[in-house]
Structure formats: C-alpha cells, structure tokens
Amino acid sequence: MYCIDFNNIKKNFGNNTALNDLTININCGDSVSLIGPNGAGKSTTIKILAGLLEPDSGDVLISGYKPDAEEAKKIIGYLPEDASPYLTLSVRENLEYLGALRGIDDLNYKTDFFLDFLKLREYERNKVSSLSRGNRQKLSLALAIMHEPKILLLDEPLNYLDIPSQEDVIKYFKKMDATFLVSTHIMSIAERFTDNIVIINRGQKIWEGQIKQLKNMGDEENASMEAVISQIMGGL
Amino acid sequence: MNVKLLKFVLKTRVTSGYVILIFIFYFLEILYAVLAYFIGKTVKSEFLIAASIIASISLMEILFAGFYYKKSDFDFLFMTPVNRKELAKSFFTTSTLISSSFNFFMCYILLFTEHGYFAFLGLIDIFAILVINISISTIMRKYSTKTRIITIVTLIIWYIIPGFINFPFSPVSAFTGHIYSGTIIGLVLSLLLWLYVYNKSGNLPSTYYNFMAKKSAQIKENVKFSGMSPEKAVFSFNLKMLGGISVMRVGSTARVYAPRFKLTYSFIFSIGIAAVYTILFFYLPKSLYFQFLVGIYYLIYAVIIYPFTKGYAASSTERLWLSLMAMPSYKYFRLNAIGKSLSTEIFLIPLIIGNLILYFIFGHILFLRMLIITMVFGMLFTIIGYYIGGFYNTRQITDLGELSGHARYSIGNIITVIILIPFVLITIISLFIIPVLYIGIIALLIVSFSLILSKKINKRMQDSMVKRDFV
Ligand SMILES: Nc1ncnc2c1ncn2[C@@H]1O[C@H](COP(=O)(O)OP(=O)(O)O)[C@@H](O)[C@H]1O
Ligand SMILES: [Mg+2]
C-alpha cells in the first residue's frame, strides 16, 4: 500500500484545467518533491490530498483512508502556500487553540517546544497580525506539524524563512518518521530535502525519478538542475 | 489637480460597476432634495432625529474613510516616480468622491429644512459635513488611539447637541432651525479642513506607516486553550473575546485590522449603547410615529447589520487549513456558528433589557416586539450571516489585506445583498404585523437549523470556500 495514492486525478476550475490525469504514488516513509512552474497544479494536488478539495475524477487514498475521513485528518499535516494562522490570536494562543481542536496530549509541553525551537518565544504574546512574514511562516509550520503527523503535505514550506531557520526546519523534517510531499519551485530546496522528484506542468506529470538521475541528464557536464529541468520542460 | 491620476486611483479602488452605483446615489440625493422642496416642512420635534442620523452616519464615515488605502499603495504606488503629492491628492479626492455617495443615507433629514428651497442648500450642508468628517479622519491617522477617540467623540457630541437644545453653532444646526449659522459654520470649516488636508496629504505615506507601527502588537494576557476539549476551545475563542478580524472594504479596497476586546469591555460598551438608546425615548415626542421610526433604525443596526456583519466576517476570516484539518466541516462550522451567535446574544443583552424597561415605562407593545426581535433574530442572523459569508462572500481576509484574483470581479457580493433583502423586510414588517413576527421566527429557526445540522450543506460550504481560495 502506498501512503500517498493519487490516481488519474482530473480537476477543472470552470474551463480551466488544473489537473489532467495526474498520478502520483508515494511509498510510506519516502520524501518526494513536487516541482513545476507557476500554475502547474502543485497547490491543487496538495489541496486534494489534504481532503479540502474534491477531484472531478480519479481515486485518492491517504494510508488507505479517504482524505477527508477523520482518520486521515489525524495523520495528515498540511501547510498551504502563503499560510495564515488566526490573525487575532497571539502566537501562543494559535498553538494552544489548534492543539485543543486536535486534542493533542501534553499540549503545554509541545507549545513550549515549538516556541523555543522556532525562536518564537519573544513573540509569544504578539498577535499574528503584527508578525513579520517569516515568523508567521514559522508559526504556520509549527501548526502543521505539532500533532506529529505521518503524512506531510507541504506547499512551499520554506518560503520567507531565513537560511538558518531553513536548515533547522529541514533537519527537523529529516528526523521525523513520516512520508513527505513537498511542493516547491526552487530546486535547491528539493535537493536538500528529498531524494525523489515529480515534475509536473499544466496538470500533467512530465518526469519522475531520483534527483541523482536528473543530474546526469544534462547535455553538458555540470549543467545546473534548473537548466536540466528547463530542458525537460522545453522538450514538451 | 491631475485628472488622469485621479481616474487611475479611482479605478484601482472600485470597479466600474461601483462607479455607476456612486452616480446612482448622487442622483438619488438630488431626487431627495427635489422631493424635500415640495413636501419638506420644519418639524421642531424631529430635530433630535436629524441630529442623531447625522451623528451616527458621520461616525461611520469617519471610521470608514481610512479604508480607501491599500497596503500595496504604500509599498508600491507611493514608491513609483509619480509625484507623491499629486498622488496623495488624488487619493484624498477619491475618498471624498466615494464617501459622498453615502450622503444619500442622510438625505432623509432634508425634509426638515426650513423652506423648500433650502433643501438644495441642505444637500450642500450634508456634503460639508462629510468633508469635515473625512478630513478629520485623515488628520487623525497620525495620532494615538486615545487622541483619536477623544476627537471623534467630541465631534459627534458637537453634531448631536443641536438635537437636544437650541444651539446655532454646529454644522448640524442648519437642520435644527438655524439654517444660516449652520451652513456658514459647515462651509467655512469644511473648506479650511479640505485645503489643509489636501495640501498636507503628501505626508500620507509616513502617517500611514506611523499608524501601522503604533498598533499595539502584544496582548496583555494569553487566553488559555490547553486542556480544553475541541468544543470548549471553539466556544472560548468566540466568547472570551469579541471583535475578531475586521476588514473594511469599499469597492475592491481592503484594510485588515485585528482588534480584539475582552468580552467584559464589549459588554460595557454595549451597556453604553443600550443606555443611550433607552434614554433617547424619553426625549422623543411621545408619538407612535417617532417611536416606530427610531425602532426601525434600531432594528437595522442592532438586529440586522451587527449580527449579519459578525457572522459574515467570521466566515471570511476562517482558516480552513487549521480548523478543517482538525475536524470535519459540519462539526466545526456548526460549533463556530453557534459560538458566534451566543456572543451576539451576550452583546445584545443590555439592549434587550433596555427594551424591557421601555415596555414597563411606556407600556407599549412595540417595545415587547422589539425585545423579542432582538432576542431571537439577532442570534439567528449571526448564524445565517456566517453561512452566507461562506457561500457567497468572494473576499477572504488574508493577512496581506489584498483580494485574491478570483474575487475581484465577482457577483458574489451582489447575491449577498439580494439574499439579505427578505431578511430585512421580515424584520421590519414583524415590528408592525404580529403574524409576520411569528412566521418570521419559525422560518428563521428552520433556516438556521438546517444550516447548522445538514452535513451536506456544510460540506458544500467547504467546497465553495476552498474554490475561492479560502484556505
Ligand atoms: N480556486 C481556483 N479557481 C480557479 N482556478 C484555479 C483555482 N485554483 C487554481 N486554479 C488554476 O488551476 C491551475 C493550477 O493552479 P495551482 O494548483 O495553484 O498551481 P501551482 O501551485 O503549481 O502554482 C492554474 O491555472 C490556476 O489558475
Ligand atoms: Mg501553488
């Protein structure tokens, strides 16, 4: 059984085709980067996996559950693109509120842990509306992972973060015993984080494999990953 | 004045459909003046109503005037090589133009001007009052909240005094029998303020940033959620604090605020409103006509606008990626809608008591009806507003304060208005016709309960919100 099982998914928004027969299967414990240009369908894919959006056709299963089943909600950690926590609540209140909604045990301990780990302690009582974009992203990350999910669906997770925080977060992810699907349009992030990538464009898969393989595909020696990907996309 | 720039700014504030709406409002204002010319008569006993209408609408104008500016204007537009001063002038002119369309809501008082032909002068008086309001609002941006509140309250008191006593020295006096002194004060003051703000408006970006920076970032004491069940957490969120995020939108412009007040403060505020409301009836002439008139205004604000806005705002500020990843949509939406409606009810308690006192003193059944309408409709309208917002509101409140691309030219908001009309009608008619009150209560109960209880409706609301980028 795949932990992320996304088969022949189609999704239209009006006349606009977002996903066109897209299939992505991920084994439990694997980390996969979802790469593609703007509008490729990355966010739509992730929203469907998170159970927030219904596909027009195709089958989705998360560890064997329907994505919007309560069992699936317990094991999914979803971070949308440009995530925004509750703006009127303070940083600590956001963590506690969501922890309570999710019924997390030892919530005080978890809250304190994330405040320190992401260096948000000094903003504990700050309303989210007053936080900088980077700190807001850190808080959003904490909110997405504080219930120790087994399946992580992260849409551009490192946006707005400074380099040390990026490193911390990646290290933390790597320690987690979970399955990752991470969307990004920045190759270096994909490279630091995952072994496998799926490249999509216009809602279709155009390449799938290991990052190592991709590196060997360039025409010239030492061609950058970006160049290789542009080449793949150009060949379409 | 740079007309091209003005057009540009106007276009970035509102859609062309909205510009047409502005002109329709202007037209209606003139129509009102014409009407007043033929049927207008000065009725001394209506002065208080005139002053109250002006004061309350002025308050709204002052509060709304700042929301014509988007954050991106200051991050982007004001950084372009366009002449800053010219740009700022266009902004101020635009906000005058847009706001003045709302003068229509004051035009009722044209009927109280002294002679028919003063109705047209009255239109100018109303415009002058508007200019005073938005100039003060613009100047106030650089001052602290305390200064702002004191200034605004003083201004509003100045507007309302002529309603109570014979007082010629207020712009509002033009409508309370002192047409010349009122008009002169209004015109001179508005002209001075307009010129001042117009010429100083080049400082707008810096005052704007001051204003943003001054917003207090820290809250005094965190509300504790840990150890609570999910249900209790949602209720705490809704009942321990009032306010929530408010985004003021005019046309396609948005400004995000995240004010929050402890429930106790809001309750004290509500007691204040209830006291003013109750006392007002002692000053009003003891005729049913006036009591019903004030009653209608009261219902529109307390039972329709406040609860609907509250529910509507609640779904616009929803964070589905948090709440709906923790529990199914039907469960969460239901809890939150009930929590919000309880919070409305608490806020309305002083007004309910106010109506009860009025009923005992005046003995008129009218107050008993207002009491019932307040008690029942307010709660249910909060729930209905929450769902209308979820289904039709095209404007998710993001932290960036901007609209998503899908939202800009949507007709969702027009649909909202159309849906609201029957609710407004039921509320007002049930004040006069008892069977409508009963039928209204039953109908609203059915509507609210089906919204809260149906899994299907809640799921569809989730779909609808996610499709509009409400994540
Ligand atoms: N809510 C929506 N309404 C209409 N079109 C949408 C919506 N969400 C996404 N789309 C369209 O679907 C396509 C894929 O979008 P998205 O999944 O956001 O791409 P990506 O995340 O890769 O940039 C785009 O063409 C986008 O315009
Ligand atoms: Mg995206």
Side-chain angles (χ1 to χ4, degrees):
Chain A
M1 187 185 68
Y2 293 115
C3 268
I4 293 180
D5 198 355
F6 192 79
N7 286 314
N8 308 100
I9 302 295
K10 290 192 177 152
K11 179 76 193 173
N12 295 322
F13 292 103
N15 297 328
N16 193 350
T17 303
L19 299 180
N20 190 2
D21 209 13
L22 183 64
T23 297
I24 299 174
N25 298 311
I26 303 178
N27 286 316
C28 296
D30 278 2
S31 300
V32 174
S33 287
L34 187 60
I35 294 179
N38 296 326
K42 304 183 292 293
S43 299
T44 306
T45 304
I46 291 185
K47 274 180 210 165
I48 292 174
L49 284 168
L52 289 175
L53 207 59
E54 297 247 1
D56 295 342
S57 66
D59 304 309
V60 198
L61 289 176
I62 298 285
S63 292
Y65 301 113
K66 287 223 175 294
D68 64 348
E70 291 201 50
E71 292 88 348
K73 287 186 194 297
K74 288 208 177 80
I75 53 170
I76 294 176
Y78 167 57
L79 177 75
E81 194 175 359
D82 288 332
S84 169
Y86 288 98
L87 298 179
T88 31
L89 297 186
S90 71
V91 171
R92 189 180 185 95
E93 286 169 342
N94 261 290
L95 290 164
E96 283 195 17
Y97 182 56
L98 203 77
L101 289 192
R102 284 197 175 272
I104 294 180
D105 300 329
D106 55 2
L107 185 53
N108 278 326
Y109 167 78
K110 285 251 172 61
T111 305
D112 286 325
F113 169 77
F114 279 109
L115 287 175
D116 291 330
F117 172 62
L118 293 168
K119 304 194 177 57
L120 290 171
R121 179 64 79 177
E122 59 178 306
Y123 306 106
E124 196 179 358
R125 285 194 291 124
N126 278 52
K127 273 195 281 189
V128 170
S129 59
S130 73
L131 290 188
S132 70
R133 206 65 193 77
N135 283 328
R136 208 171 293 182
Q137 183 70 8
K138 288 187 197 169
L139 174 61
S140 302
L141 266 165
L143 291 168
I145 60 178
M146 69 186 296
H147 58 296
E148 295 172 6
K150 288 283 160 216
I151 312 278
L152 280 107
L153 306 167
L154 309 171
D155 203 345
E156 311 274 1
L158 302 186
N159 276 0
Y160 311 106
L161 295 189
D162 52 36
I163 309 249
S165 310
Q166 291 188 9
E167 283 306 317
D168 287 348
V169 168
I170 289 181
K171 243 185 252 158
Y172 187 86
F173 283 157
K174 285 196 160 159
K175 269 198 311 204
M176 287 176 81
D177 171 27
T179 311
F180 284 86
L181 180 65
V182 183
S183 110
T184 178
H185 57 266
I186 303 167
M187 258 327 282
S188 61
I189 289 177
E191 225 180 329
R192 273 147 73 201
F193 198 166
T194 58
D195 308 322
N196 301 302
I197 61 175
V198 173
I199 303 179
I200 63 171
N201 195 12
R202 294 168 204 264
Q204 284 178 317
K205 187 157 68 185
I206 51 178
W207 198 85
E208 181 175 23
Q210 291 182 314
I211 293 191
K212 279 186 291 200
Q213 287 171 281
L214 192 67
K215 277 189 171 160
N216 302 330
M217 276 173 63
D219 289 343
E220 313 147 33
E221 200 95 347
N222 298 329
S224 74
M225 300 274 281
E226 281 80 359
V228 177
I229 289 176
S230 305
Q231 205 180 313
I232 292 177
M233 287 183 178
L236 227 74
Chain B
M1 164 135 23
N2 188 333
V3 178
K4 237 172 150 178
L5 204 54
L6 178 65
K7 268 193 187 158
F8 168 75
V9 172
L10 190 64
K11 273 206 167 148
T12 54
R13 298 312 93 177
V14 294
T15 57
S16 356
Y18 202 89
V19 174
I20 296 174
L21 200 68
I22 293 179
F23 280 104
I24 292 176
F25 270 121
Y26 283 169
F27 173 74
L28 289 175
E29 285 167 26
I30 294 171
L31 200 67
Y32 231 121
V34 173
L35 216 70
Y37 176 82
F38 290 110
I39 63 168
K41 57 185 187 312
T42 321
V43 183
K44 222 166 166 351
S45 51
E46 296 196 35
F47 288 173
L48 181 57
I49 297 179
S52 319
I53 293 175
I54 295 180
S56 50
I57 294 189
S58 292
L59 186 62
M60 282 198 277
E61 282 174 352
I62 293 170
L63 297 179
F64 279 79
F67 304 116
Y68 297 99
Y69 312 100
K70 294 193 257 195
K71 186 174 177 299
S72 62
D73 295 330
F74 297 96
D75 293 343
F76 168 68
L77 216 50
F78 277 93
M79 301 302 154
T80 57
V82 180
N83 184 326
R84 241 171 180 230
K85 211 164 166 176
E86 283 298 323
L87 192 60
K89 284 176 181 173
S90 304
F91 265 93
F92 185 53
T93 314
T94 303
S95 76
T96 317
L97 279 176
I98 300 176
S99 303
S100 60
S101 60
F102 297 120
N103 281 351
F104 167 73
F105 297 106
M106 291 198 211
C107 282
Y108 174 73
I109 54 182
L110 289 179
L111 296 172
F112 313 145
T113 49
E114 211 152 314
H115 300 285
Y117 52 87
F118 281 139
F120 297 97
L121 195 58
L123 212 51
I124 296 173
D125 290 332
I126 290 179
F127 188 74
I129 291 171
L130 165 95
V131 172
I132 296 173
N133 293 340
I134 62 167
S135 308
I136 298 258
S137 169
T138 310
I139 296 171
M140 279 297 115
R141 296 171 138 246
K142 62 176 160 212
Y143 296 106
S144 69
T145 313
K146 203 171 143 197
T147 321
R148 271 188 280 163
I149 291 177
I150 293 174
T151 315
I152 292 170
V153 169
T154 314
L155 189 72
I156 298 299
I157 291 177
W158 190 40
Y159 286 164
I160 209 163
I161 285 178
F164 289 99
I165 56 173
N166 186 5
F167 180 76
F169 307 112
S170 159
V172 179
S173 306
F175 299 98
T176 61
H178 301 281
I179 192 113
Y180 295 111
S181 68
T183 302
I184 289 167
I185 291 171
L187 284 183
V188 170
L189 190 64
S190 61
L191 200 67
L192 289 177
L193 282 171
W194 164 271
L195 284 176
Y196 176 79
V197 179
Y198 190 74
N199 286 312
K200 289 271 176 197
S201 52
N203 300 332
L204 206 61
S206 51
T207 47
Y208 176 85
Y209 277 120
N210 278 343
F211 173 68
M212 294 296 281
K214 268 190 194 133
K215 274 199 303 184
S216 80
Q218 288 217 329
I219 53 171
K220 285 213 185 69
E221 203 184 333
N222 275 323
V223 172
K224 283 241 148 288
F225 292 109
S226 70
M228 287 183 183
S229 67
E231 292 77 12
K232 198 153 178 243
V234 175
F235 284 129
S236 275
F237 186 2
N238 284 304
L239 297 177
K240 286 208 174 128
M241 51 197 142
L242 273 186
I245 316 174
S246 70
V247 160
M248 302 295 174
R249 294 180 193 283
V250 177
S252 56
T253 308
R255 263 302 314 271
V256 179
Y257 278 82
R260 62 184 250 193
F261 311 94
K262 279 191 177 160
L263 189 67
T264 13
Y265 295 146
S266 318
F267 197 66
I268 293 170
F269 179 66
S270 162
I271 291 175
I273 293 178
V276 172
Y277 165 79
T278 313
I279 292 169
L280 194 68
F281 280 95
F282 291 93
Y283 281 92
L284 275 181
K286 307 281 173 291
S287 88
L288 267 185
Y289 168 72
F290 290 112
Q291 294 182 338
F292 271 106
L293 196 70
V294 174
I296 291 171
Y297 263 92
Y298 159 80
L299 288 184
I300 287 177
Y301 283 102
V303 180
I304 298 171
I305 294 181
Y306 167 67
F308 264 115
T309 324
K310 183 165 177 159
Y312 198 75
S315 47
S316 320
T317 56
E318 201 43 75
R319 296 289 175 252
L320 300 186
W321 74 279
L322 293 172
S323 54
L324 294 196
M325 293 310 289
M327 56 179 100
S329 54
Y330 69 89
K331 197 170 158 196
Y332 177 75
F333 288 148
R334 176 191 303 167
L335 278 176
N336 208 29
I338 296 174
K340 279 274 168 321
S341 74
L342 289 178
S343 138
T344 301
E345 194 68 356
I346 292 175
F347 189 82
L348 292 177
I349 286 175
L351 285 160
I352 294 173
I353 295 173
N355 278 310
L356 193 65
I357 295 173
L358 288 169
Y359 173 66
F360 282 129
I361 291 175
F362 293 106
H364 197 280
I365 192 80
L366 162 80
F367 296 110
L368 209 54
R369 288 184 205 167
M370 303 242 270
L371 183 154
I372 294 170
I373 295 174
T374 310
M375 200 152 71
V376 182
F377 286 29
M379 263 179 116
L380 300 182
F381 282 165
T382 311
I383 294 176
I384 295 169
Y386 184 71
Y387 282 87
I388 293 180
F391 274 104
Y392 297 108
N393 180 16
T394 50
R395 286 148 185 206
Q396 159 74 317
I397 297 174
T398 65
D399 43 347
L400 306 174
E402 305 284 349
L403 297 180
S404 83
H406 315 296
R408 236 157 227 275
Y409 299 105
S410 156
I411 56 164
N413 296 303
I414 296 172
I415 296 179
T416 310
V417 173
I418 294 171
I419 294 178
L420 282 181
I421 291 171
F423 293 120
V424 176
L425 289 181
I426 290 177
T427 312
I428 292 175
I429 296 173
S430 57
L431 191 59
F432 298 93
I433 305 170
I434 283 292
V436 176
L437 178 60
Y438 295 142
I439 295 169
I441 290 176
I442 293 167
L444 291 179
L445 278 172
I446 292 174
V447 172
S448 329
F449 273 89
S450 9
L451 291 173
I452 301 178
L453 294 178
S454 158
K455 277 192 185 183
K456 210 167 165 187
I457 291 178
N458 285 286
K459 179 82 172 104
R460 283 178 62 179
M461 176 152 115
Q462 167 186 337
D463 290 347
S464 157
M465 289 169 85
V466 176
K467 277 209 189 92
R468 280 172 287 125
D469 275 358
F470 270 49
V471 173

